[in-house]
Amino acid sequence: MTLTAEQVAESLSKEADDALLSINNVEVIFNGVILVLRGISLNARKGKITALLGANGAGKSTTLKAIAGLLRTDDGEITRGSVTYDGRDVTHTPPDRKVRDGVFLVMEGRGIIQDMTIRDNLRLGAFTRPGANVETEIEEIYRFFPRLKERKGLAGYLSGGEQQMLAIGRAMMAKPRLIMMDEPSMGLSPLLVKEVFGIIRRLNRELGISILLVEQNANMALKISDYGYIMENGKIVLDGSAEELLQNEDVKEFYLGGGEERRSFLNVKSFRRRKRWL
Amino acid sequence: QDSEILVGHLADYTGPTAFVGKQYGAGVADAFKQINADGGINGAKVKLDTVDYGYKVPEAIALYKKWVGQGMVALLGWGTADTEALISFVTRDKIPTISASYSAHLTDPLGRNPNTKSRTPYNFFYGPSYSDACRALVQWASEEARAKGIDKPIFVHTGDNHPYPNAPKEACAAYAKELGMTVANPVVVPLAPGDFKAQCLTVKQSGANYVYMGNLGGSVVSLVKSCNTVGVDATYMGNPWAGDYLTVEAAEAKGLIFPSSTPFFGAEVPGMALVKTIVENGTGLVGSRPTHHYIRGVCSAYYMKEAMEWAAANGGITGANIRDGMYQKADWVPKGLEGVCSPSTWTKEDHRGLLQVTINSGSVEGGRAVIKEIATITLPRRDDWLGQ
Amino acid sequence: MNSELLIQLLVNGVIVGMLYGIVAMCFVLIYKSTQVVNFAQGEFVVMGAWVCLSMVVSMGLPFWLAFLFTLAFMTAFGVVVQIILLRPLVGEPVISVIMATIGLSTFMRALMNWIFGNSAVRFPDVFSQSVVSIAGLNVETAYVLSLVLSVAVMGMFFLFFRYSRWGLAMRATAYSQQISQSLGIPIGRVFAMAWAISAVVSGIAGVVIGLVNAVSNSLSFIGIKVFPAVIVGGLDSVIGAVVGGLTIGLLENLAEFVDGQYLHIGNMYSVAPFYVLLVILMIKPYGLFGTPNIERV
Amino acid sequence: MADNGEILLRVDDVSLQFGGLKALSNVSFAVRKGGLFSLIGPNGAGKTSMLNCISGRYRPTSGNLTWNGEDILRHSVNDRAHLGIGRTFQNLALFGHMSVLDNILVGRHHKLRNNFLTGMLYWVGGARREELEQRRFVEDIIDFLEIQHVRHEPAGTLSYGLRKRVELARAMAIEPRLILLDEPMAGMNLEEKEDMARFIIALREEFEMTILMIEHDMGVVMDLSDQVAVLDFGKVIASGAPEAVLANEHVKKAYLGEADELLDELADTAERAIA
Amino acid sequence: MTHVPNPRPTGDFRTSYAGDRTLFATRFETNAVIAGVLFVLVSPFLFSDYILSQFIIIGIYGIAALGLNVLTGMTGQISLGHGAFFGFGAFASAWFSSRGIPVLLSMPMAGVLTMAVGMVFGIPAARLKGLYLAIATLASQYILEDFFARADWFTGGTSGSLAETANLFGFQFDSDGRYLYLVLFWVIVSFVGVANLARTRDGRALVAVRDHYLSAEIMGINLTHYRILSFGLASFFAGLAGALYGHYLGFVSAEGFTIILSIEFLAIIIIGGLGSVSGSLLGAAFILLLPQAMETFANALATLVPAISQGTAYIKQMSVGAAIILFLVLEPEGLVHRWRLMRANWKLFPFSH
Ligand SMILES: Nc1ncnc2c1ncn2[C@@H]1O[C@H](COP(=O)(O)OP(=O)(O)OP(=O)(O)O)[C@@H](O)[C@H]1O
Ligand SMILES: Nc1ncnc2c1ncn2[C@@H]1O[C@H](COP(=O)(O)OP(=O)(O)OP(=O)(O)O)[C@@H](O)[C@H]1O
Ligand SMILES: CC(C)C[C@H](N)C(=O)O
Ligand SMILES: [Mg+2]
Ligand SMILES: [Mg+2]
C-alpha cells in the first residue's frame, strides 16, 4: 500500500495527538561504545495499553529505562532522538521529575527495597506526593493484594510473586498517568499471571492509567493490549494493533506458538525458518 | 666554582608534626634567605630547596635522591622517620645532615658505644639529644624535690609507643633512679590529641610528682588539660618539642617545665638583632612572633653555613669537607648569633654538640603565656651516655 | 582493687563514649543514605571546631551566636561538598566515592592548616564553671552539654529514619540509587541532605571536642577512632552508633584501669578496644544492632 | 521413561522454619534416577526453599535428605557439588564481572586440581595443561548451548535470556548427576522457551542427568516431566503423573486458577494445558 | 563496575585454546610489557638515581598494592591493615637476615611469614563481610603497630632495626641501579604470578567469591578457605614488598607503617583499577608521583600569583587531594578502565557495534 505524503503527515499528527508518550528515533549507547538502541520510535497512547514485545536482549528494558531517565546509573546515555511526554520534550528531564509528572517504571526484577518492610516500600511509592494520605491508600492497595497484608517482616524475604505484587502496588501508590511495566508476569504462577494481567487491565480500565507493557508472554500481553510493537536487535521491526499482530504469521510462529494447536515442547525444531522482518 | 650550592631541606608544614615543623622549617628557610642576602657562602648563593614532604618517608627518599642527582652537598632534615630512613644513604653518599630528630643514637658517629646499632658519621643536630634533655630535666627535678623536702620523688614517663617519645625513655629512667627518684610505670599517651582523662587518672594514682611528656603539640595540650581537669598534682616536664608559648597558652598551663637551647624571640641578647632581621625578611610563614623552634632552625642553618664556609676554604664545598667543617671549633657560636645559639662542640667521635640545657617554666597569666628561665643544667660528657 | 578509681574511669568512659557516639552517628548517617564511608569525617569535626573558634576569637562573637553560625556554616558546607564531590559521582561504584572522601580529607586538612594554622588554640572560657564533678570525677562542662545534645540528636535521627518521608528516601537511596530514582526520589537532594545533617552534627561534636581539648588539626584523628564504635554498634543503626560509642569509651577506660593498675603493658588503652572489637564481631557479625544482609538465592 | 528406576534423591518429612513462618512442612517426595521431576505451586509456596535445602543454602529444621542412600545433610554446602548436585537460580546468580567462559569454568572447580601455587607457576606445575583440558570440556557445553558468540563477554552485561543459558552451562559444568533448575523458562518468549526445552531434553537423554525443576509454565511442565509435586503453603498438596496432578481440583484452585469471567479469556495457554 | 567490550583487532584470530588464554589481551600489550621491562633494564645506564629510586619505590609499592588487589579487587574484601603487613614483612626480613640468613632468601621468607600472620588476621573473614570486615582489618593494623613498638626481640622495638644490604655471590645490591634489578625481578615474578593466578582455578574462585559468594559456594567453592587464602596471598605480597623496602632503606622503623600507609595502598588500587593486575603499578606511580607533580604545579602557581607564595605547601597538599577527586570524577573506575575504553574505542571506531 502506498500513502501520499499528506496521508502520512496526517496519520502521524493524529498519532501524536493521542500519544501520551512518544519516543522518536532514540539511540542509546552504553559506556560510550556499546550501541544498544539503534533509533527506535514508538508511542504509548493515552488511556491505552501498549505492548512492547521482543526477544531477550532486544533492548526492551533499555528502552523503558531510557524513557524513565535511568540510564546514568548503568553508564548509558541517549545519544540521539527525543522522548516526548504530554507534548513536552522530556529527553533529559531528571528521573524524579518524570515520576512527579506521572510516568512510573516498574523495573525488571521488581526493584523492591529488600531491607525495608512491605509498608515502607509502599510508603515510598507515594514519595512524590507529600500531602497524600498514605496510610489509607496503603489499605486500598492491600484490598487489591490481600496477600501483602498477611506477610510481615522485610520485603526481601517475600517470594517472587509477592514481590511483584508489591512492586505493582508501589507503582499504584504514585498515582501515575502512565505505568511502564517491565515483564510483570515473570516468575509468577499461572494463577497470579492471570491476576496480574487482570490487575493491569483494571488499572487501565478503572483508573484510566495508560500502560506501556514489556512482556515475554506475548499471548496474554497482546490480548489485553490495544497496540503492539515488536522489537529486535535494538530496532522496532513490526507494529500494529493488537488484533493485527495476533493474526500476523510471523508473530504467531515466533511469539504465540503458531497454528491452532499448541506445539508440544517435546518436539521442538532446532532449525527454523528465518524471520521475515530480519 | 659553582655559583649555586644545592642544599636539600625537608620540612613538614602539613603533616602530623606540622605543629612545630612549620616553625623549625621556616627558621631554616628564612635563615638561608638571609644568608644569601648577606652574600651567601663566600659569594656563592645557596639554593635551598625546601619541600614539604608531609612526614611521608617515600616522598622524603624520592626528594633525597632527586637532590643527590642534582648535586646536593648537604641536607637539612626533619623528623625521626625520614632521618632514620636516610641514615644509610647519607652515610654512603657523604651528605652531612642536620636534622631535627634528636635521638641520642645519632650522636655516636663511630659506633663506639657497644649498644649503638649503626654508625652515623654524617648525622648532626643542634641542641641536646632527647635523652640529654630529659636527663637535665630529671636532674633539675631531683634538686627541686630536695628543696621542697620531697624525700623520694616519683617520676613517670608519658608518651606514645613510638620512636620519638620513646627515645629517652630508658636513659632517662636510669638517670632518675641514679638520682634516687622512684620511677613509676610509664603511661602510654597517644600522639594524636584526644581526651586523656583516663591516662591522667593513672598518673594521679601513681602519685607522680614529675611527669615527663614525650609527645608534642596537641597531644601535650590535651594531656595537660585533661590532667588539670582530673586534678593531678604534679609538675609537667616536656621534651625539646613539647613546650613553647603556644602550647602553654593553649593548655592554660601552670608551671609547665620545658627545655630550650636558644633564648626566646625578642630576648635581649646580641644575636637577636639578626634573628629579627631574618624574621622580617623571611617568608612570613610564622607571623611576627616565632617560637624558639624557629630559632633552633636558624641556628641549625647557620652552623651549616659556617661549616660550608670552612669547607670552601679547605678544599671545596663537598659533603665530606662540610662534615669536617662541623668539627672546626669547640664552643662554636655562629657569627652574628651570639647569645642566641649556645656554644656547641662536635668532634669526630662524639656528635653531642650541646650538653647544656636551659630549663623554663611557662604559665598562663591573664590569657598570655609567661615564660621564665629557671635553671641551666650542664650535663657531664659521660662515655656511657654516648649514643644512649 | 581500687574501686574509686574504677568508678571514675567508668564515668569517664560513659562521657567520652557519648562523644564518640555522636561522631559515629554522623558516619552512620552518611552510610545509611549513601553507603559511603566518609574518611573525611574527622576533618568535618575539626572544621566545625575551627569555625566556631574563629567566630569567637577573631569576630568576638558571643559563644552561642558563634555556635549557631557554625551550625549554619556546616549545613552549607555539607551541601557544597555534596554538590562538588558527590553529585558527579552519583551512580559510580561506592569504592570510588570512598576514595573521593579520602581525597577530600587530604584537601581539607591542607586547607585548614593554611587558614587556621598548625597550632593548638584554646577556646576562651565559655562556661562560668568549666568543670563539674560527677561521682567523684571532674568532668568538663562541655561534656555535659554534649551528653544532652547527643541524646536529643539521637532521638531526632531515630524518628527521622523511622517515620519521615525523607528518612525512608535516604534508606532507599542507600539500597539502590537506580531504584530510588525510579520511585521519583531526587537522589541528589537526598545526598545533599544527608551530608548537610552529618556535617552539622559533626560541627556540634567538633565544638564540644574543641572546648575540651583546644582546637588543633590533629584532632581529626577522631574520625578514624570512631570506626570501631560504628562497627560495634552496627553500620546502619543510629542507636547502635551511640551504644558502640559508649562501648568503646568504656572499654578504653577499663583497659586503662587494668593496664595501669595490674598489667603495665602500656598502650592497652588504644589497642584493647580492637581486640574486643574482633571478639564482638565474631559473635555478632553485623555488630550489636546492624541489620544483616539479606542472603537469598 | 525410567518409571520404576532407582531413587536418586529422597526427601523425607522435611520441614523448614523461618522465625514464625513455616516455609516447608513435612515435605516428602522421591526423585528417580534419570527422571524429570517438576515441583510446582503458587508463589511463596516454598519451592525455592526446597531446592535450597537440597543444595545446602538452608538447613532443614527437621527431616532427612537421602542421596543414593546417603545422608546429604552431613555434607557441607560446597561438598554437594562434588557429590553431583548442580543448580541454577531463580534470580540469576552469575559472577557478573567474570566472562562467560570463566563463569562456566567455575563450575569445573571441583574437578580441577591446581591450586594457587601451581596456578601462579602456570607453565611448570601442570596448571596450564589442566586448564586447557577443562577448556575443551567447557567449549563443548558452550557449543551445545549455542553461546559461542558471548564467550568472552562479562556475564553481567548479557541479556536476561542469555544469562539464563550461562547459568545452565555453569551448572552443567559441574557434571552433576542431579541438576536443580529453578524456573528455567521464566522471562523467556516462546522461541527461547523452545530452545530451553530442547536443552532440558538433551540434559536427560544425552547427558544422563536427573532433573528436578521448578516451573510455572504448565505447557512445559506437562510436556517434559514424568512426575510432578505441588506445594502450597509449604505442604505437598498433590503429586504423581502430570496429567493427574493438573486435573486435581485442589491444584486448580490453589495454583492454576478457577474459570473466571474476566480472566478466562486471558488464560488460554494455561487452560489448554490442563485440557 | 561497568563493562567494556573486549574486542580483538580484526585479523587477530585465536586458533587454539592456549592462544586464547594468553597473559596479555593483545599483541600490542605483550610488546608494550616487553618494551617496558627492557626499558627498566637499561634505565640504570640512562637515568639519575632519583629516577631510579622512583622506579624502585613504584615497584615496591606496586607489589604491595598487587597483594591488596588480590584481596580487595579480586576477592572483594577491603583491608585497612595492609600497611601493617607491609611493615611486618620489613621487620621480618630484617630479623631473618640478622640471624645470618642471606638477604635474598630472607625476603621471600618474610613474605611467607607475613602470609601466615595475614591468614591468622584473616580468620574473621570467615564470618564478616563488607565494611564490617574492613574495620576488623583496622584492628589488625593497630594490633600490629602495637606489636612493632613492643616486640624488641623482633623489631628492635621503638628504636627500629637495621636491614642488611642484599648480595648475591658477592654482588652487592647497594646502589639504586643494582637494587632496581632486584625489585624488577620481584615485580615480574609477582605480577606474572598474579596474572597466572587470575586465569586458573583458585583465581577464578576468588573472583567468584567476590561476585556472588552464595552461588560460588553452591558451585563447590569453600568460602572460608578462599577468603582466608586471599588474606594470605595479600599478606605475602605485602610482606615481600615490605622486605624489599626495608633492605632498600637499610633501616626499619615502626613509625612508617601506619593507617595512613594502609589508606594509601587502598588509594593506589582504586586509582589503578580494582582487580586489575597492571592497575596496581599504574596506581602506585600515580599516587607516588602526584605529590611531586603538584609540587611543581604549586610552585608555578606561586610564581604567577606571588600573594600565595607562602601557601605553596598547602596548595600542593590541596591539589593532591583535588587531583584525586578530579580523577575519580573523570574516571571513577581507574586508570586501567580508561585504557580499556581507549582500546575499545579505537578498535571499534567508527562502528560502535
Ligand atoms: N549496563 C549495560 N552495559 C552494557 N551493555 C548493556 C547494559 N545493559 C544492557 N546492555 C546490553 O543491551 C542489550 C539490550 O538489553 P536489555 O536489557 O534492554 O534487553 P531486553 O530486551 O530487556 O532483554 P530481556 O528480555 O532479556 O530482558 C543487551 O545486549 C545487553 O547486553
Ligand atoms: N531466608 C528467609 N527468611 C525468611 N523467610 C524466607 C526466607 N526464604 C524464604 N522465605 C519465605 O519462605 C516462603 C517460601 O519462599 P520460596 O522462595 O521458597 O517460594 P517459592 O515457592 O520459590 O515462590 P516463587 O514461585 O515465587 O519463587 C516465602 O513466604 C518467603 O518469604
Ligand atoms: C618534631 C619532630 C622533629 C619530632 C620527632 N623527632 C619526630 O620525628 O617525630
Ligand atoms: Mg529486559
Ligand atoms: Mg522460587
Side-chain angles (χ1 to χ4, degrees), chain A residues 30-31 34 36 54-63 74 108 182-183 216, chain D residues 157-161 187:
Chain A
F30 281 103
N31 275 321
I34 309 169
V36 169
N56 288 128
K60 305 177 297 294
S61 301
T62 306
T63 307
D74 291 338
E108 188 175 31
D182 201 346
E183 306 202 23
Q216 293 289 10
Chain D
T157 54
L158 300 180
S159 69
Y160 185 83

Side-chain angles (χ1 to χ4, degrees), chain A residues 220-235:
Chain A
M220 286 235 189
L222 286 178
K223 280 197 175 135
I224 62 165
S225 301
D226 303 288
Y227 200 85
Y229 293 88
I230 296 199
M231 184 171 183
E232 255 169 56
N233 244 321
K235 283 192 189 120

Side-chain angles (χ1 to χ4, degrees), chain C residues 80 107 117 122 128 133 162 166 187 221 265:
Chain C
V80 168
F107 184 87
R122 188 181 79 87
S128 52
S133 172
R162 194 38 75 79
W166 285 99
I187 56 174
F221 184 64
I265 301 176

Side-chain angles (χ1 to χ4, degrees), chain A residues 1 23 40 44 54 64 92 96 130 158 175 185 240 245 259:
Chain A
M1 175 165 58
I23 65 176
I40 146 168
L64 297 194
H92 298 289
D96 54 290
L158 290 178
K175 299 234 147 67
S185 77
L245 291 181

Side-chain angles (χ1 to χ4, degrees), chain B residues 13-346:
Chain B
Y13 293 161
T14 52
T17 59
F19 189 89
V20 285
K22 199 167 142 185
Q23 297 279 340
Y24 182 90
V28 171
D30 291 357
F32 273 101
K33 205 170 165 202
Q34 187 65 38
I35 290 167
N36 281 335
D38 293 344
I41 311 293
N42 298 343
K45 289 266 184 300
V46 175
K47 182 174 184 303
L48 184 81
D49 195 0
T50 302
V51 180
D52 168 36
Y53 75 112
Y55 211 80
K56 294 207 196 81
V57 173
E59 231 186 298
I61 295 170
L63 284 164
Y64 171 84
K65 301 273 172 171
K66 182 167 93 181
W67 288 327
V68 169
Q70 293 169 349
M72 162 173 70
V73 295
L75 176 69
L76 282 139
W78 172 239
T80 303
D82 46 296
T83 307
E84 305 283 357
L86 289 171
I87 288 176
S88 61
F89 293 128
V90 300
T91 308
R92 192 185 66 201
D93 300 333
K94 300 198 167 57
I95 304 287
T97 301
I98 299 187
S99 69
S101 170
Y102 302 158
S103 298
H105 77 94
L106 298 174
T107 58
D108 184 11
L110 303 181
R112 291 207 314 187
N113 189 314
N115 293 323
T116 301
K117 283 199 174 148
S118 58
R119 301 183 314 115
T120 54
Y122 281 85
N123 284 89
F124 299 87
F125 53 77
Y126 166 71
S129 71
Y130 295 132
S131 305
D132 288 339
C134 189
R135 285 182 182 113
L137 290 168
V138 167
Q139 191 171 317
W140 167 83
S142 81
E143 281 160 22
E144 198 215 35
R146 203 173 309 127
K148 278 191 188 162
I150 307 173
D151 187 29
K152 249 191 152 336
I154 301 176
F155 169 81
V156 65
H157 173 284
T158 69
D160 208 346
N161 223 352
H162 273 276
Y164 151 61
N166 266 352
K169 197 168 175 177
E170 276 163 32
C172 201
Y175 192 47
K177 280 209 188 95
E178 203 178 305
L179 294 172
M181 298 172 94
T182 307
V183 178
N185 283 307
V187 176
V188 175
V189 176
L191 259 169
D195 185 288
F196 296 144
K197 285 204 288 292
Q199 286 86 343
C200 289
L201 286 170
T202 306
V203 170
K204 189 177 177 187
Q205 193 69 24
S206 72
N209 308 95
Y210 295 95
V211 180
Y212 175 80
M213 301 184 296
N215 295 341
L216 61 86
S219 172
V220 165
V221 172
S222 289
L223 185 71
V224 172
K225 290 195 95 174
S226 291
C227 288
N228 282 342
T229 305
V230 170
V232 179
D233 180 24
T235 304
Y236 303 101
M237 311 190 297
N239 71 85
W241 297 103
D244 50 47
Y245 79 92
L246 292 171
T247 320
V248 171
E249 271 174 18
E252 295 171 88
K254 299 267 173 313
L256 174 74
I257 306 298
F258 62 92
S260 66
S261 36
T262 66
F264 302 106
F265 188 72
E268 296 189 350
V269 290
M272 197 50 71
L274 177 55
V275 177
K276 281 187 175 149
T277 327
I278 291 174
V279 174
E280 265 161 38
N281 300 339
T283 51
L285 203 58
V286 288
S288 57
R289 196 181 158 207
T291 62
H292 62 125
H293 310 305
Y294 178 92
I295 304 177
R296 271 208 311 288
V298 170
C299 287
S300 305
Y302 271 81
Y303 281 110
M304 182 61 85
K305 170 203 172 218
E306 293 194 359
M308 285 177 175
E309 279 166 353
W310 186 90
N314 291 278
I317 305 184
T318 64
N321 286 342
I322 297 174
R323 195 265 312 252
D324 292 341
M326 290 298 289
Y327 306 141
Q328 58 177 295
K329 0 180 167 162
D331 294 327
W332 174 13
V333 177
K335 222 178 279 130
L337 289 171
E338 292 77 12
V340 172
C341 309
S342 303
S344 300
T345 312
W346 289 274

Side-chain angles (χ1 to χ4, degrees), chain A residues 151 157-162 187, chain C residues 296, chain D residues 18 21 23 42-49 58 90 183 216:
Chain A
R151 299 283 287 122
Y157 294 118
L158 290 178
S159 78
E162 293 163 338
Chain C
R296 276 204 69 178
Chain D
F18 296 111
L21 178 90
N43 295 105
K47 305 179 295 296
T48 302
S49 302
Y58 295 155
Q90 181 176 4
E183 303 195 14
H216 284 307

